Amino acid sequence: MDVIWGVSVDEVAWGGAIAFYLFLAGIAGGAFLTASMTDLFSKKQYPKVIQSGAYIAIVSIIVGLGLLVVDLGRPFSFWKLLLHVNMGSVMSIGVFIVSGFTGLSVVYGVLVWLNAAAQKQIRITSANTEVAATSVGQGLQAFRKPVAGLGILFSIGTATYTGFLLSAVTTNNFWHTPFMGIEGIPFLPILFLVSAISTGLAATLIGALNCGDLTTYKKIDMVLIILEIVLIFILYLSVKPVFFSGSMAVLFWLGVVILGLMSPLLLSIYSLAKHKNVILPVCGMVVIGGFCLRYFVVYTGQLFK
Amino acid sequence: MAKKYSMIINLAKCIGCQACTVACKFQNKVPEGQFRTKTPANGLKGTYPNVSQYFIKEACQMCQKAPCVSVCPTKASYYNEDGVVLIDVDKCVGCKYCMTACPYDARFLNKETGAADKCTFCYELKVSKGEKPACVSTCVGGALMFGDLNDPLSEASQFLAKHKGEVRKPELGTHPNVNYIYEGVVK
Ligand code: SF4
Ligand code: SF4
């Protein structure tokens, strides 16, 4: 800002790195949820989905945390976040949720990997080693379900946390928007949770392309997209129009609405009717749309007050 | 007794000379291009013969219910024993959460330390030694006043008893300890 004449420049405290972090944390949560739910409820059918989700979760959360640390004013003091706790600060609570999630997703990923490796070995080795390999694997695999179960709680926690982080800023009119005007129920955690599951599922499916019939997943993703459209519509009605103006208008209408929601929805309806395989474009658009959403929310909340 | 330090800014007396801006940079060694306080013009309004213009000093408003303190994950932002909002540079990780929460754009990341920075009312360097903040003692127009509102005899209390002080963005419930006097200026 100009000292004397008060010409303000559009400066935001949280920029692209934070938007990308929120997006990746959402992907990680959604991917973990996809993998662990599949694991718990229909293990045999979709081993590739489980692997894809488990690995994507690890990579996304670790890259996301890396971005977060690099964006700090003092990156080398990040450990102080673990040392000094403020239970009244959403970020402080989030540090522990995300750390727990990261730990669990790494453990889960290793278990999934060991299991996959063991399965492979069974196929290629003689009957003798088959017994040995499975017994070693089996011991550890007993932990897999509890880890998946606990991880589900933490992944939901991580995905909603990204929303609470912003909605807790009571002085920000956009971030603090309540759900349907109900004071006490913030909007963003709900929106970000749905978007996290949708984008995480989409990313997982991209990783498990051509792995049998994924129709069930496609249908779930369609439901999530519709749900998100409803939520975005409610958001649009709940806040002042200025938040959707200027440079943010393009991002919102083109990126979030058309690219991220409408196109994938129409394309998947078409594909279900015509039995065409369009997972890659549909899921690709959902993922990019999810990023646009985070970017839009992070920026518009700070640019217009 | 705990103090309730307050700054009073009498807008009609401010001539926009930026002596406060400069004094603050001297006193607090604020990095190049960054400011703990500044006094920009509040737009030129109206047409002849009713043209108006005033300058409005901006800095941390020393909120008694400070959003920056409640969001800070490490308690680096805190209220000291006299209710002044300060930053413990050693605890600050530079996450900028406080900057997103402050509705007065009072904070910035210090280029040299990487930690959040803002006006301290010159607490450590001046006020705790019984002196006034650097901006107040340097003010050319006599527009700035500083004192303890818990002491009814202080200059600040006396002044506020006679003049109407207003805080910025009262609707946010931050309860600032910086009072603006708009008497004599066209808002
Ligand atoms: S003005 Fe901003 S930095 Fe100062 S106490 Fe209030 S919220 Fe915190
Ligand atoms: S930048 Fe520093 S003072 Fe501000 S919220 Fe983060 S840790 Fe606290």
Side-chain angles (χ1 to χ4, degrees), chain A residues 283-298:
Chain A
C283 292
M285 287 191 287
V286 167
V287 170
I288 298 169
F291 176 66
C292 293
L293 177 68
R294 301 311 190 289
Y295 202 91
F296 165 74
V297 170
V298 166

Side-chain angles (χ1 to χ4, degrees), chain A residues 1 3-6 13-14 71-74 77 80-81 84-86 88-92 165 168-169 171 175 302 305, chain B residues 18 21 35 38-41 53 67 70-74 89-90 92-97 99-101 105 109 113-114:
Chain A
M1 181 182 265
V3 194
I4 300 177
W5 301 111
W14 281 353
D71 194 58
L72 292 178
R74 319 175 88 186
S77 62
K80 289 181 183 164
L81 284 166
H84 307 292
V85 180
N86 176 5
S89 161
V90 171
M91 187 185 283
S92 191
L165 181 70
V169 179
T171 46
W175 293 352
Q302 294 175 90
K305 284 183 183 163
Chain B
Q18 310 298 333
T21 312
F35 303 91
K38 50 190 182 277
T39 305
Q53 156 109 306
S70 47
V71 300
C72 177
T74 61
V89 173
D90 195 52
C92 176
V93 296
C95 68
K96 297 175 267 189
Y97 203 12
M99 291 163 61
T100 69
D105 284 330
L109 270 202
T113 64

Side-chain angles (χ1 to χ4, degrees), chain A residues 47-90:
Chain A
K48 282 281 186 271
V49 172
I50 298 177
Q51 286 173 39
S52 167
Y55 304 155
I56 287 175
I58 300 177
V59 175
S60 318
I61 198 67
I62 289 178
V63 173
L65 284 178
L67 276 172
L68 184 69
V69 169
V70 171
D71 194 58
L72 292 178
R74 319 175 88 186
F76 297 110
S77 62
F78 75 90
W79 52 272
K80 289 181 183 164
L81 284 166
L82 296 161
L83 200 66
H84 307 292
V85 180
N86 176 5
M87 289 312 279
S89 161
V90 171

